[in-house]
Amino acid sequence: MSKLTIEVVTPERVVYSGEATMVIARGVEGDVGIMPNHMPLVTPLKIAPVRIKTVGDKETVIAVSGGFMEVRGTQVAILAESAELPEDIDVERAKQSKGRAEQRLNEKHPDLDIRRAERALQRAISRLEATKNI
């Protein structure tokens, strides 16, 4: 069985490096599933979890905040603004962040940076979704 080599990198560190049978990410055009020997592709990523399926139906989920994914044959590189493994996420803090962002968006204060509040909400939701499997 063919495998992918995947690396998830942020400006600070390599978050994940390993082999996979499939990678599922949310690009700007929608979800995309990558299997070995996929056609070459470069796509911007949305703030959403990336799912990495490994041998034996195991799955690693990584909360990714934007960036790009590049696919070449059996190589997948995700260059993310930020990325967190579930065990690195403070669930309580993510819940509080989600609540704060929702509250800001509901208040509709005239000086509110709506885009920033929406991105904060998306990041908190992505973190919470990534921790569901631990």
Side-chain angles (χ1 to χ4, degrees), residues 59-131:
E59 185 174 86
T60 298
V61 181
I62 303 173
V64 173
S65 294
F68 291 87
M69 177 171 63
E70 179 182 17
V71 179
R72 278 198 251 168
T74 60
Q75 304 289 319
V76 178
I78 294 178
L79 309 171
E81 294 170 24
S82 69
E84 297 170 279
L85 292 165
E87 56 268 21
D88 297 332
I89 296 171
D90 182 337
V91 175
E92 204 49 48
R93 185 170 169 223
K95 287 179 183 176
Q96 291 171 359
S97 295
K98 180 178 180 271
R100 280 192 308 272
E102 289 172 335
Q103 183 179 0
R104 281 189 202 113
L105 289 167
N106 288 332
E107 288 175 354
K108 297 181 181 164
H109 192 273
D111 294 333
L112 175 68
D113 183 344
I114 293 173
R115 178 121 170 93
R116 182 177 176 192
E118 288 173 342
R119 288 181 54 85
L121 178 60
Q122 291 169 346
R123 281 191 303 273
I125 290 170
S126 177
R127 287 181 178 120
L128 292 170
E129 286 178 2
T131 61

Side-chain angles (χ1 to χ4, degrees), residues 10-55:
T10 68
E12 291 81 33
R13 67 189 177 109
V14 174
V15 176
Y16 181 91
S17 182
E19 290 187 336
T21 57
M22 184 176 195
V23 176
I24 302 164
R26 184 160 302 144
V28 293
E29 298 289 325
D31 287 355
V32 61
I34 306 297
M35 295 179 73
N37 300 310
H38 191 282
M39 67 180 226
L41 169 77
V42 174
T43 186
L45 296 175
K46 286 191 160 197
I47 298 171
V50 170
R51 296 176 24 224
I52 301 168
K53 296 187 179 258
T54 58
V55 176

